[in-house]
């Protein structure tokens, strides 16, 4: 993370906003690296992360998401700035959200909270005109050239 930021002449302390698509440990484990950031998360996800069902506790490790920073909880779609917004895409987790960036395959993981909602969310994303998807659990994206 620090190396990637340094290539853009940034340090973790320069980052003021982080969008957590959800709060599974493998998606928020580096939150503590950003001491000046606020974390944009769906309200349902924050609530559930603190009190997950027994079968989901393995994915919500409190030490990964409960850091000394502030959540910016949102409910529903939220415009970050022109051309950048988040939309709820529940299914993989109860409060999952996707980031849509207006810029000039498909993956369903084994750990999914509600399969039907997950498929509905994927269908919602598929209706976006001229999308470019970046999946966090899809090894095929490693070969992409941006």
């Amino acid at each position: 993370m620090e190396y990637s930021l340094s290539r853009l002449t940034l340090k973790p302390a320069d980052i003021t906003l982080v969008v957590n698509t959800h709060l599974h440990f493998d998606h928020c484990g580096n939150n503590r690296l950003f001491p000046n950031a606020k974390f944009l998360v769906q309200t349902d996800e924050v609530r559930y992360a603190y009190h997950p069902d027994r079968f989901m506790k393995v994915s919500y490790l409190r030490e990964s998401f409960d850091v000394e920073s502030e959540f910016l909880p949102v409910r529903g779609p939220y415009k970050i700035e022109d051309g950048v917004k988040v939309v709820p895409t529940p299914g993989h987790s109860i409060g999952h959200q996707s980031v849509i960036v207006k810029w000039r395959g498909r993956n369903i993981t084994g750990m999914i909270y509600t399969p039907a909602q997950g498929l509905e969310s994927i269908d919602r994303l598929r209706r976006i005109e001229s999308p470019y998807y970046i999946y966090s659990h899809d090894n095929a994206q490693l070969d992409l050239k941006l």
Side-chain angles (χ1 to χ4, degrees):
M1 182 73 66
E2 291 178 12
Y3 172 75
S4 295
L5 287 172
S6 73
R7 293 184 65 196
L8 300 169
T9 66
L10 294 169
K11 300 181 298 278
D14 297 327
I15 305 303
T16 58
L17 180 68
V18 172
V19 176
N20 286 134
T21 57
H22 59 297
L23 295 176
H24 288 171
F25 70 92
D26 58 330
H27 289 264
C28 65
N30 282 326
N31 280 4
R32 70 185 73 252
L33 295 178
F34 304 102
N36 300 317
K38 294 183 180 185
F39 299 93
L40 189 91
V41 186
Q42 291 290 317
T43 303
D44 288 342
E45 186 71 6
V46 174
R47 185 179 303 117
Y48 189 79
Y50 282 100
H51 305 286
D53 293 317
R54 185 174 58 182
F55 70 95
M56 291 296 287
K57 284 185 179 183
V58 68
S59 294
Y60 291 99
L61 303 180
R62 193 169 181 152
E63 61 271 14
S64 294
F65 65 82
D66 192 6
V67 297
E68 291 185 24
S69 293
E70 185 178 340
F71 284 121
L72 289 176
V74 297
R75 185 179 299 277
Y78 180 81
K79 178 181 172 182
I80 296 172
E81 63 178 48
D82 285 340
V84 181
K85 65 181 177 179
V86 296
V87 295
T89 51
H92 179 63
S93 72
I94 196 166
H96 192 280
Q97 63 185 354
S98 293
V99 181
I100 298 175
V101 179
K102 198 162 200 158
W103 195 314
R104 356 167 258 203
R106 173 172 174 159
N107 180 41
I108 301 176
T109 65
M111 178 65 78
I112 190 162
Y113 182 80
T114 308
Q117 275 188 323
L119 291 172
E120 289 170 9
S121 294
I122 289 170
D123 289 341
R124 183 179 315 120
L125 292 173
R126 291 174 121 190
R127 288 192 294 270
I128 297 170
E129 287 187 41
S130 304
Y132 185 81
Y133 297 110
I134 299 175
Y135 303 104
S136 59
H137 291 292
D138 183 4
N139 290 335
Q141 77 178 1
L142 297 175
D143 296 328
L144 295 176
K145 304 288 186 250
L146 299 177

mmCIF file of all heavy atoms in Angstrom, residues 34-70:
data_model
loop_
_atom_site.group_PDB
_atom_site.id
_atom_site.type_symbol
_atom_site.label_atom_id
_atom_site.label_comp_id
_atom_site.label_asym_id
_atom_site.label_seq_id
_atom_site.Cartn_x
_atom_site.Cartn_y
_atom_site.Cartn_z
ATOM 1 N N PHE A 34 -4.085 4.731 7.606
ATOM 2 C CA PHE A 34 -4.516 6.060 7.172
ATOM 3 C C PHE A 34 -4.987 6.882 8.374
ATOM 4 O O PHE A 34 -6.184 6.991 8.637
ATOM 5 C CB PHE A 34 -5.626 5.934 6.128
ATOM 6 C CG PHE A 34 -5.221 5.091 4.944
ATOM 7 C CD1 PHE A 34 -5.657 3.790 4.821
ATOM 8 C CD2 PHE A 34 -4.368 5.609 3.977
ATOM 9 C CE1 PHE A 34 -5.264 3.006 3.749
ATOM 10 C CE2 PHE A 34 -3.971 4.833 2.904
ATOM 11 C CZ PHE A 34 -4.419 3.532 2.792
ATOM 12 N N PRO A 35 -4.060 7.517 9.087
ATOM 13 C CA PRO A 35 -4.403 8.198 10.332
ATOM 14 C C PRO A 35 -5.299 9.422 10.165
ATOM 15 O O PRO A 35 -5.976 9.821 11.117
ATOM 16 C CB PRO A 35 -3.040 8.605 10.897
ATOM 17 C CG PRO A 35 -2.154 8.719 9.696
ATOM 18 C CD PRO A 35 -2.640 7.651 8.746
ATOM 19 N N ASN A 36 -5.338 10.016 8.979
ATOM 20 C CA ASN A 36 -6.124 11.231 8.758
ATOM 21 C C ASN A 36 -7.379 10.990 7.922
ATOM 22 O O ASN A 36 -8.042 11.936 7.504
ATOM 23 C CB ASN A 36 -5.260 12.305 8.092
ATOM 24 C CG ASN A 36 -4.076 12.657 8.964
ATOM 25 O OD1 ASN A 36 -4.215 12.811 10.172
ATOM 26 N ND2 ASN A 36 -2.904 12.760 8.362
ATOM 27 N N ALA A 37 -7.683 9.725 7.688
ATOM 28 C CA ALA A 37 -8.810 9.399 6.811
ATOM 29 C C ALA A 37 -10.091 9.167 7.596
ATOM 30 O O ALA A 37 -10.077 8.754 8.753
ATOM 31 C CB ALA A 37 -8.486 8.153 5.993
ATOM 32 N N LYS A 38 -11.191 9.446 6.908
ATOM 33 C CA LYS A 38 -12.513 9.014 7.346
ATOM 34 C C LYS A 38 -12.896 7.872 6.409
ATOM 35 O O LYS A 38 -12.443 7.813 5.263
ATOM 36 C CB LYS A 38 -13.507 10.160 7.272
ATOM 37 C CG LYS A 38 -13.152 11.251 8.259
ATOM 38 C CD LYS A 38 -14.155 12.353 8.266
ATOM 39 C CE LYS A 38 -13.692 13.372 9.300
ATOM 40 N NZ LYS A 38 -14.633 14.432 9.492
ATOM 41 N N PHE A 39 -13.748 6.972 6.911
ATOM 42 C CA PHE A 39 -14.062 5.758 6.170
ATOM 43 C C PHE A 39 -15.541 5.724 5.806
ATOM 44 O O PHE A 39 -16.402 5.670 6.677
ATOM 45 C CB PHE A 39 -13.660 4.528 6.997
ATOM 46 C CG PHE A 39 -12.189 4.517 7.276
ATOM 47 C CD1 PHE A 39 -11.690 5.076 8.440
ATOM 48 C CD2 PHE A 39 -11.297 3.997 6.357
ATOM 49 C CE1 PHE A 39 -10.335 5.108 8.693
ATOM 50 C CE2 PHE A 39 -9.931 4.029 6.595
ATOM 51 C CZ PHE A 39 -9.446 4.586 7.766
ATOM 52 N N LEU A 40 -15.814 5.787 4.504
ATOM 53 C CA LEU A 40 -17.166 5.808 3.979
ATOM 54 C C LEU A 40 -17.684 4.372 3.889
ATOM 55 O O LEU A 40 -17.125 3.551 3.158
ATOM 56 C CB LEU A 40 -17.177 6.456 2.591
ATOM 57 C CG LEU A 40 -18.547 6.743 2.021
ATOM 58 C CD1 LEU A 40 -18.958 8.160 2.425
ATOM 59 C CD2 LEU A 40 -18.540 6.606 0.528
ATOM 60 N N VAL A 41 -18.742 4.073 4.663
ATOM 61 C CA VAL A 41 -19.286 2.721 4.759
ATOM 62 C C VAL A 41 -20.804 2.815 4.879
ATOM 63 O O VAL A 41 -21.323 3.739 5.503
ATOM 64 C CB VAL A 41 -18.728 1.987 6.009
ATOM 65 C CG1 VAL A 41 -19.176 0.541 6.036
ATOM 66 C CG2 VAL A 41 -17.222 2.077 6.091
ATOM 67 N N GLN A 42 -21.507 1.867 4.312
ATOM 68 C CA GLN A 42 -22.960 1.811 4.468
ATOM 69 C C GLN A 42 -23.309 1.562 5.940
ATOM 70 O O GLN A 42 -22.671 0.749 6.617
ATOM 71 C CB GLN A 42 -23.572 0.719 3.597
ATOM 72 C CG GLN A 42 -23.500 0.991 2.105
ATOM 73 C CD GLN A 42 -24.420 2.130 1.674
ATOM 74 O OE1 GLN A 42 -25.562 2.236 2.100
ATOM 75 N NE2 GLN A 42 -23.901 2.998 0.806
ATOM 76 N N THR A 43 -24.322 2.251 6.424
ATOM 77 C CA THR A 43 -24.755 2.151 7.817
ATOM 78 C C THR A 43 -25.032 0.704 8.225
ATOM 79 O O THR A 43 -24.609 0.267 9.298
ATOM 80 C CB THR A 43 -26.025 3.004 8.042
ATOM 81 O OG1 THR A 43 -25.734 4.350 7.672
ATOM 82 C CG2 THR A 43 -26.466 2.969 9.488
ATOM 83 N N ASP A 44 -25.724 -0.039 7.370
ATOM 84 C CA ASP A 44 -26.042 -1.436 7.696
ATOM 85 C C ASP A 44 -24.784 -2.270 7.885
ATOM 86 O O ASP A 44 -24.749 -3.178 8.711
ATOM 87 C CB ASP A 44 -26.911 -2.073 6.611
ATOM 88 C CG ASP A 44 -28.336 -1.547 6.605
ATOM 89 O OD1 ASP A 44 -28.761 -0.950 7.621
ATOM 90 O OD2 ASP A 44 -29.029 -1.744 5.591
ATOM 91 N N GLU A 45 -23.747 -1.969 7.121
ATOM 92 C CA GLU A 45 -22.494 -2.714 7.219
ATOM 93 C C GLU A 45 -21.801 -2.438 8.550
ATOM 94 O O GLU A 45 -21.286 -3.350 9.200
ATOM 95 C CB GLU A 45 -21.573 -2.381 6.046
ATOM 96 C CG GLU A 45 -20.310 -3.207 6.000
ATOM 97 C CD GLU A 45 -20.551 -4.665 5.618
ATOM 98 O OE1 GLU A 45 -21.683 -5.047 5.274
ATOM 99 O OE2 GLU A 45 -19.571 -5.437 5.674
ATOM 100 N N VAL A 46 -21.778 -1.176 8.957
ATOM 101 C CA VAL A 46 -21.149 -0.818 10.238
ATOM 102 C C VAL A 46 -21.878 -1.524 11.377
ATOM 103 O O VAL A 46 -21.264 -2.166 12.235
ATOM 104 C CB VAL A 46 -21.145 0.706 10.463
ATOM 105 C CG1 VAL A 46 -20.624 1.044 11.853
ATOM 106 C CG2 VAL A 46 -20.306 1.408 9.394
ATOM 107 N N ARG A 47 -23.177 -1.429 11.381
ATOM 108 C CA ARG A 47 -23.988 -2.049 12.437
ATOM 109 C C ARG A 47 -23.754 -3.560 12.489
ATOM 110 O O ARG A 47 -23.530 -4.142 13.542
ATOM 111 C CB ARG A 47 -25.466 -1.751 12.200
ATOM 112 C CG ARG A 47 -26.378 -2.236 13.308
ATOM 113 C CD ARG A 47 -27.852 -1.918 13.063
ATOM 114 N NE ARG A 47 -28.077 -0.484 12.874
ATOM 115 C CZ ARG A 47 -28.545 0.059 11.753
ATOM 116 N NH1 ARG A 47 -28.839 -0.693 10.719
ATOM 117 N NH2 ARG A 47 -28.734 1.349 11.656
ATOM 118 N N TYR A 48 -23.774 -4.193 11.331
ATOM 119 C CA TYR A 48 -23.620 -5.652 11.270
ATOM 120 C C TYR A 48 -22.205 -6.083 11.660
ATOM 121 O O TYR A 48 -22.017 -7.118 12.302
ATOM 122 C CB TYR A 48 -23.972 -6.155 9.874
ATOM 123 C CG TYR A 48 -24.047 -7.654 9.783
ATOM 124 C CD1 TYR A 48 -25.181 -8.334 10.235
ATOM 125 C CD2 TYR A 48 -23.004 -8.396 9.267
ATOM 126 C CE1 TYR A 48 -25.254 -9.719 10.163
ATOM 127 C CE2 TYR A 48 -23.066 -9.772 9.186
ATOM 128 C CZ TYR A 48 -24.190 -10.431 9.639
ATOM 129 O OH TYR A 48 -24.262 -11.801 9.571
ATOM 130 N N ALA A 49 -21.210 -5.299 11.285
ATOM 131 C CA ALA A 49 -19.822 -5.653 11.594
ATOM 132 C C ALA A 49 -19.606 -5.788 13.104
ATOM 133 O O ALA A 49 -18.852 -6.651 13.556
ATOM 134 C CB ALA A 49 -18.873 -4.607 11.015
ATOM 135 N N TYR A 50 -20.261 -4.955 13.871
ATOM 136 C CA TYR A 50 -20.116 -5.021 15.331
ATOM 137 C C TYR A 50 -20.914 -6.168 15.942
ATOM 138 O O TYR A 50 -20.597 -6.622 17.043
ATOM 139 C CB TYR A 50 -20.532 -3.696 15.968
ATOM 140 C CG TYR A 50 -19.471 -2.637 15.849
ATOM 141 C CD1 TYR A 50 -19.552 -1.652 14.878
ATOM 142 C CD2 TYR A 50 -18.375 -2.637 16.702
ATOM 143 C CE1 TYR A 50 -18.573 -0.681 14.763
ATOM 144 C CE2 TYR A 50 -17.382 -1.674 16.602
ATOM 145 C CZ TYR A 50 -17.493 -0.689 15.626
ATOM 146 O OH TYR A 50 -16.511 0.266 15.518
ATOM 147 N N HIS A 51 -21.937 -6.634 15.242
ATOM 148 C CA HIS A 51 -22.798 -7.697 15.774
ATOM 149 C C HIS A 51 -23.176 -8.687 14.674
ATOM 150 O O HIS A 51 -24.353 -8.862 14.366
ATOM 151 C CB HIS A 51 -24.066 -7.101 16.399
ATOM 152 C CG HIS A 51 -23.780 -6.076 17.442
ATOM 153 N ND1 HIS A 51 -23.315 -6.400 18.695
ATOM 154 C CD2 HIS A 51 -23.862 -4.735 17.409
ATOM 155 C CE1 HIS A 51 -23.136 -5.300 19.401
ATOM 156 N NE2 HIS A 51 -23.451 -4.269 18.639
ATOM 157 N N PRO A 52 -22.180 -9.363 14.083
ATOM 158 C CA PRO A 52 -22.495 -10.290 12.994
ATOM 159 C C PRO A 52 -23.139 -11.575 13.513
ATOM 160 O O PRO A 52 -22.988 -11.945 14.681
ATOM 161 C CB PRO A 52 -21.127 -10.590 12.387
ATOM 162 C CG PRO A 52 -20.179 -10.441 13.530
ATOM 163 C CD PRO A 52 -20.748 -9.319 14.374
ATOM 164 N N ASP A 53 -23.843 -12.242 12.620
ATOM 165 C CA ASP A 53 -24.346 -13.572 12.937
ATOM 166 C C ASP A 53 -23.153 -14.493 13.182
ATOM 167 O O ASP A 53 -22.050 -14.255 12.688
ATOM 168 C CB ASP A 53 -25.187 -14.118 11.771
ATOM 169 C CG ASP A 53 -26.475 -13.337 11.573
ATOM 170 O OD1 ASP A 53 -27.132 -13.022 12.586
ATOM 171 O OD2 ASP A 53 -26.800 -13.039 10.407
ATOM 172 N N ARG A 54 -23.395 -15.543 13.934
ATOM 173 C CA ARG A 54 -22.317 -16.451 14.319
ATOM 174 C C ARG A 54 -21.525 -16.978 13.120
ATOM 175 O O ARG A 54 -20.301 -17.036 13.141
ATOM 176 C CB ARG A 54 -22.900 -17.611 15.125
ATOM 177 C CG ARG A 54 -21.856 -18.543 15.660
ATOM 178 C CD ARG A 54 -22.443 -19.576 16.561
ATOM 179 N NE ARG A 54 -23.461 -20.322 15.816
ATOM 180 C CZ ARG A 54 -24.204 -21.275 16.332
ATOM 181 N NH1 ARG A 54 -24.078 -21.591 17.582
ATOM 182 N NH2 ARG A 54 -25.091 -21.907 15.593
ATOM 183 N N PHE A 55 -22.217 -17.319 12.038
ATOM 184 C CA PHE A 55 -21.534 -17.880 10.869
ATOM 185 C C PHE A 55 -20.694 -16.849 10.104
ATOM 186 O O PHE A 55 -19.887 -17.218 9.259
ATOM 187 C CB PHE A 55 -22.534 -18.565 9.923
ATOM 188 C CG PHE A 55 -23.454 -17.625 9.199
ATOM 189 C CD1 PHE A 55 -23.149 -17.179 7.920
ATOM 190 C CD2 PHE A 55 -24.634 -17.187 9.794
ATOM 191 C CE1 PHE A 55 -24.003 -16.323 7.247
ATOM 192 C CE2 PHE A 55 -25.494 -16.336 9.129
ATOM 193 C CZ PHE A 55 -25.173 -15.896 7.857
ATOM 194 N N MET A 56 -20.866 -15.563 10.400
ATOM 195 C CA MET A 56 -20.103 -14.516 9.700
ATOM 196 C C MET A 56 -19.008 -13.903 10.566
ATOM 197 O O MET A 56 -18.236 -13.074 10.093
ATOM 198 C CB MET A 56 -21.058 -13.413 9.223
ATOM 199 C CG MET A 56 -21.987 -13.847 8.107
ATOM 200 S SD MET A 56 -21.146 -14.291 6.581
ATOM 201 C CE MET A 56 -20.648 -12.689 6.000
ATOM 202 N N LYS A 57 -18.911 -14.287 11.830
ATOM 203 C CA LYS A 57 -17.918 -13.689 12.730
ATOM 204 C C LYS A 57 -16.492 -13.843 12.218
ATOM 205 O O LYS A 57 -15.652 -12.992 12.463
ATOM 206 C CB LYS A 57 -18.038 -14.276 14.134
ATOM 207 C CG LYS A 57 -19.211 -13.722 14.890
ATOM 208 C CD LYS A 57 -19.249 -14.221 16.316
ATOM 209 C CE LYS A 57 -20.457 -13.594 16.999
ATOM 210 N NZ LYS A 57 -20.550 -13.941 18.389
ATOM 211 N N VAL A 58 -16.217 -14.900 11.497
ATOM 212 C CA VAL A 58 -14.866 -15.129 10.984
ATOM 213 C C VAL A 58 -14.457 -14.048 9.976
ATOM 214 O O VAL A 58 -13.275 -13.779 9.790
ATOM 215 C CB VAL A 58 -14.754 -16.545 10.354
ATOM 216 C CG1 VAL A 58 -15.576 -16.650 9.082
ATOM 217 C CG2 VAL A 58 -13.307 -16.903 10.103
ATOM 218 N N SER A 59 -15.414 -13.390 9.339
ATOM 219 C CA SER A 59 -15.113 -12.362 8.341
ATOM 220 C C SER A 59 -14.997 -10.966 8.936
ATOM 221 O O SER A 59 -14.362 -10.087 8.351
ATOM 222 C CB SER A 59 -16.202 -12.337 7.262
ATOM 223 O OG SER A 59 -16.184 -13.542 6.536
ATOM 224 N N TYR A 60 -15.631 -10.739 10.080
ATOM 225 C CA TYR A 60 -15.635 -9.412 10.702
ATOM 226 C C TYR A 60 -14.727 -9.409 11.923
ATOM 227 O O TYR A 60 -15.161 -9.704 13.040
ATOM 228 C CB TYR A 60 -17.065 -9.008 11.092
ATOM 229 C CG TYR A 60 -17.949 -8.743 9.909
ATOM 230 C CD1 TYR A 60 -18.830 -9.700 9.450
ATOM 231 C CD2 TYR A 60 -17.900 -7.520 9.241
ATOM 232 C CE1 TYR A 60 -19.649 -9.460 8.355
ATOM 233 C CE2 TYR A 60 -18.704 -7.269 8.145
ATOM 234 C CZ TYR A 60 -19.575 -8.247 7.714
ATOM 235 O OH TYR A 60 -20.381 -7.999 6.628
ATOM 236 N N LEU A 61 -13.470 -9.102 11.716
ATOM 237 C CA LEU A 61 -12.507 -9.047 12.813
ATOM 238 C C LEU A 61 -12.432 -7.605 13.301
ATOM 239 O O LEU A 61 -11.951 -6.717 12.593
ATOM 240 C CB LEU A 61 -11.141 -9.534 12.351
ATOM 241 C CG LEU A 61 -11.120 -10.953 11.754
ATOM 242 C CD1 LEU A 61 -9.706 -11.325 11.343
ATOM 243 C CD2 LEU A 61 -11.700 -11.962 12.733
ATOM 244 N N ARG A 62 -12.904 -7.395 14.498
ATOM 245 C CA ARG A 62 -13.036 -6.038 15.035
ATOM 246 C C ARG A 62 -11.731 -5.248 14.967
ATOM 247 O O ARG A 62 -11.734 -4.059 14.665
ATOM 248 C CB ARG A 62 -13.562 -6.103 16.464
ATOM 249 C CG ARG A 62 -14.008 -4.764 16.968
ATOM 250 C CD ARG A 62 -14.767 -4.918 18.263
ATOM 251 N NE ARG A 62 -15.203 -3.617 18.704
ATOM 252 C CZ ARG A 62 -16.258 -3.408 19.438
ATOM 253 N NH1 ARG A 62 -17.000 -4.419 19.833
ATOM 254 N NH2 ARG A 62 -16.587 -2.198 19.804
ATOM 255 N N GLU A 63 -10.610 -5.902 15.213
ATOM 256 C CA GLU A 63 -9.330 -5.185 15.167
ATOM 257 C C GLU A 63 -8.995 -4.672 13.767
ATOM 258 O O GLU A 63 -8.146 -3.797 13.602
ATOM 259 C CB GLU A 63 -8.186 -6.045 15.717
ATOM 260 C CG GLU A 63 -7.943 -7.332 14.971
ATOM 261 C CD GLU A 63 -8.752 -8.522 15.495
ATOM 262 O OE1 GLU A 63 -9.713 -8.342 16.267
ATOM 263 O OE2 GLU A 63 -8.414 -9.653 15.102
ATOM 264 N N SER A 64 -9.688 -5.178 12.744
ATOM 265 C CA SER A 64 -9.458 -4.698 11.383
ATOM 266 C C SER A 64 -10.254 -3.451 11.052
ATOM 267 O O SER A 64 -9.786 -2.597 10.307
ATOM 268 C CB SER A 64 -9.827 -5.792 10.369
ATOM 269 O OG SER A 64 -8.961 -6.878 10.484
ATOM 270 N N PHE A 65 -11.476 -3.346 11.572
ATOM 271 C CA PHE A 65 -12.309 -2.195 11.202
ATOM 272 C C PHE A 65 -12.507 -1.178 12.325
ATOM 273 O O PHE A 65 -12.816 -0.024 12.059
ATOM 274 C CB PHE A 65 -13.682 -2.655 10.680
ATOM 275 C CG PHE A 65 -14.553 -3.348 11.681
ATOM 276 C CD1 PHE A 65 -15.320 -2.609 12.573
ATOM 277 C CD2 PHE A 65 -14.610 -4.725 11.734
ATOM 278 C CE1 PHE A 65 -16.124 -3.250 13.499
ATOM 279 C CE2 PHE A 65 -15.410 -5.370 12.657
ATOM 280 C CZ PHE A 65 -16.163 -4.623 13.547
ATOM 281 N N ASP A 66 -12.318 -1.564 13.558
ATOM 282 C CA ASP A 66 -12.566 -0.667 14.690
ATOM 283 C C ASP A 66 -11.263 0.053 15.044
ATOM 284 O O ASP A 66 -10.603 -0.266 16.017
ATOM 285 C CB ASP A 66 -13.104 -1.466 15.876
ATOM 286 C CG ASP A 66 -13.653 -0.568 16.971
ATOM 287 O OD1 ASP A 66 -13.728 0.657 16.764
ATOM 288 O OD2 ASP A 66 -14.003 -1.104 18.032
ATOM 289 N N VAL A 67 -10.901 1.021 14.203
ATOM 290 C CA VAL A 67 -9.653 1.764 14.398
ATOM 291 C C VAL A 67 -9.977 3.168 14.899
ATOM 292 O O VAL A 67 -11.126 3.597 14.877
ATOM 293 C CB VAL A 67 -8.832 1.828 13.089
ATOM 294 C CG1 VAL A 67 -8.412 0.429 12.655
ATOM 295 C CG2 VAL A 67 -9.586 2.512 11.977
ATOM 296 N N GLU A 68 -8.962 3.865 15.340
ATOM 297 C CA GLU A 68 -9.175 5.203 15.900
ATOM 298 C C GLU A 68 -9.377 6.233 14.793
ATOM 299 O O GLU A 68 -8.565 7.141 14.614
ATOM 300 C CB GLU A 68 -7.994 5.592 16.785
ATOM 301 C CG GLU A 68 -7.915 4.777 18.056
ATOM 302 C CD GLU A 68 -6.818 5.248 18.972
ATOM 303 O OE1 GLU A 68 -6.407 6.422 18.881
ATOM 304 O OE2 GLU A 68 -6.362 4.424 19.766
ATOM 305 N N SER A 69 -10.435 6.072 14.068
ATOM 306 C CA SER A 69 -10.815 6.990 12.996
ATOM 307 C C SER A 69 -12.322 7.066 12.979
ATOM 308 O O SER A 69 -13.006 6.361 13.700
ATOM 309 C CB SER A 69 -10.282 6.506 11.648
ATOM 310 O OG SER A 69 -8.881 6.569 11.624
ATOM 311 N N GLU A 70 -12.826 7.863 12.089
ATOM 312 C CA GLU A 70 -14.263 8.105 12.044
ATOM 313 C C GLU A 70 -14.889 7.442 10.821
ATOM 314 O O GLU A 70 -14.376 7.535 9.713
ATOM 315 C CB GLU A 70 -14.506 9.613 11.987
ATOM 316 C CG GLU A 70 -15.945 10.019 12.049
ATOM 317 C CD GLU A 70 -16.105 11.535 12.028
ATOM 318 O OE1 GLU A 70 -15.137 12.252 12.338
ATOM 319 O OE2 GLU A 70 -17.197 11.985 11.686
#
